[in-house]
Amino acid sequence: MTRWTHDQLHHIARGNDFRIAPDRDANLTPGRLIWIWAVTIEEDIYVRSANPDSRWFASAVTHRRGSVSIDGNALPAEFTLVTRDAVKDQVDDAYRNKYADDPHMSEELLKSSRNQIARVRPLKSPST
């Protein structure tokens, strides 16, 4: 299984410049990179959408592929909808810790976006 490097995870855990571009359709048409909050738990990256009508999130969990940008490097990625409550609890805690000082962070945001969490893992490039 392909994994994020220690440096990539550290960059996400400490930084605030994660960008994501899920494919727009089954033909793997790339979306545009958008900035999104992201947290790390062990060797995985997690993202969430506060907007229940989010097109990027719907594409991510429907088509399950796309790319992310970590420290300016575009990398292929796969997205998986998180359904387990125990994992959602961990993600909520990670968001509380990382974004505690952000004025947009709130318990209401966590509650309203609890069903819109995706795990992001590296996708092995076809050329490697």
Side-chain angles (χ1 to χ4, degrees), residues 20 22-23 55-65 79-80 118:
I20 186 170
D23 289 338
R55 291 188 319 218
W56 77 260
F57 190 82
S59 291
V61 298
T62 300
H63 304 298
R64 301 193 59 191
R65 294 181 59 138
F79 310 102
T80 306

Side-chain angles (χ1 to χ4, degrees), residues 3-114:
R3 298 187 186 275
W4 300 115
T5 67
H6 174 75
D7 287 344
Q8 290 167 331
L9 291 169
H10 181 76
H11 185 81
I12 298 304
R14 301 290 178 241
N16 197 20
D17 65 346
F18 188 68
R19 300 188 188 282
I20 186 170
D23 289 338
R24 293 183 194 173
D25 53 40
N27 294 326
L28 307 180
T29 305
R32 67 177 179 85
L33 285 170
I34 59 167
W35 175 79
I36 188 82
W37 281 0
V39 296
T40 59
I41 300 172
E42 297 175 6
E43 295 184 356
D44 289 319
I45 298 170
Y46 292 88
V47 297
R48 70 192 314 146
S49 174
N51 178 355
D53 298 322
S54 169
R55 291 188 319 218
W56 77 260
F57 190 82
S59 291
V61 298
T62 300
H63 304 298
R64 301 193 59 191
R65 294 181 59 138
S67 63
V68 298
S69 177
I70 300 175
D71 198 20
N73 297 309
L75 305 163
E78 70 174 350
F79 310 102
T80 306
L81 180 66
V82 173
T83 58
R84 293 183 48 223
D85 284 335
V87 177
K88 291 178 183 182
D89 291 342
Q90 289 179 307
V91 173
D92 285 350
D93 287 343
Y95 271 80
R96 281 184 193 100
N97 290 331
K98 182 173 180 181
Y99 297 104
D101 294 333
D102 191 294
H104 299 289
M105 177 62 182
S106 69
E107 288 302 312
E108 183 58 36
L109 180 139
L110 295 179
K111 182 180 176 184
S112 67
S113 62
R114 188 160 168 90

